[in-house]
Amino acid sequence: QVQLVESGGGLVQAGGSLRLSCAASGRTFSTAAMGWFRQAPGKEREFVAAINWDGGSTYYAGSVKGRFGISRDNAKYTVSLQMNSLKPEDTAVYYCAANLRSPGSAYNLHPTEYDFWGQGTQVTVSS
């Protein structure tokens, strides 16, 4: 069992930065691949970034590659998403999720591949 709590969302102007954090409870965090997803109003939840269990492998959606960075600290049971050069189209609720089935891979792009989810944090980028 993994409980996830996101933080760090807020309102930022276009071009600005935010850093999202996801705090996990449960020792299984260090054996899980982690992902960030986002969901805008009226749209499906979409993949943003993922990282494998030891941080050695990452993967990004094309829309955020080069602007966002995912990292994790297994000693602190946290995974972070650094978001730079934010655009209005990045506005969404951001969720972190844990994948226990394929921890060695960061190529986990679909929500159904994840076992546990946080409650989400709102990110709003104004133009």
Side-chain angles (χ1 to χ4, degrees):
Q1 188 80 8
V2 180
Q3 294 181 326
L4 305 171
V5 179
E6 302 94 336
S7 62
L11 173 64
V12 64
Q13 288 188 331
S17 298
L18 280 176
R19 185 176 181 87
L20 305 184
S21 293
C22 175
S25 64
R27 295 181 180 180
T28 51
F29 170 82
S30 60
T31 60
M34 298 297 296
W36 284 96
F37 287 76
R38 66 187 182 187
Q39 188 166 18
K43 294 188 176 182
E44 293 187 351
R45 192 167 297 190
E46 66 171 356
F47 171 79
V48 175
I51 189 167
N52 75 330
W53 73 275
D54 67 356
S57 180
T58 59
Y59 193 81
Y60 297 92
S63 59
V64 308
K65 194 172 184 178
R67 300 188 296 124
F68 290 12
I70 188 171
S71 60
R72 67 188 296 161
D73 186 336
N74 285 348
K76 296 182 178 179
Y77 293 176
T78 60
V79 60
S80 299
L81 185 69
Q82 178 66 42
M83 306 186 296
N84 300 324
S85 303
L86 283 161
K87 304 175 181 180
E89 51 264 43
D90 294 319
T91 295
V93 177
Y94 283 70
Y95 300 88
C96 72
N99 175 326
L100 300 179
R101 286 168 273 172
S102 52
S105 173
Y107 195 71
N108 305 307
L109 310 186
H110 199 276
T112 59
E113 297 180 86
Y114 290 81
D115 306 288
F116 299 100
W117 292 83
Q119 83 290 347
T121 186
Q122 176 71 46
V123 171
T124 303
V125 184
S126 63
S127 57

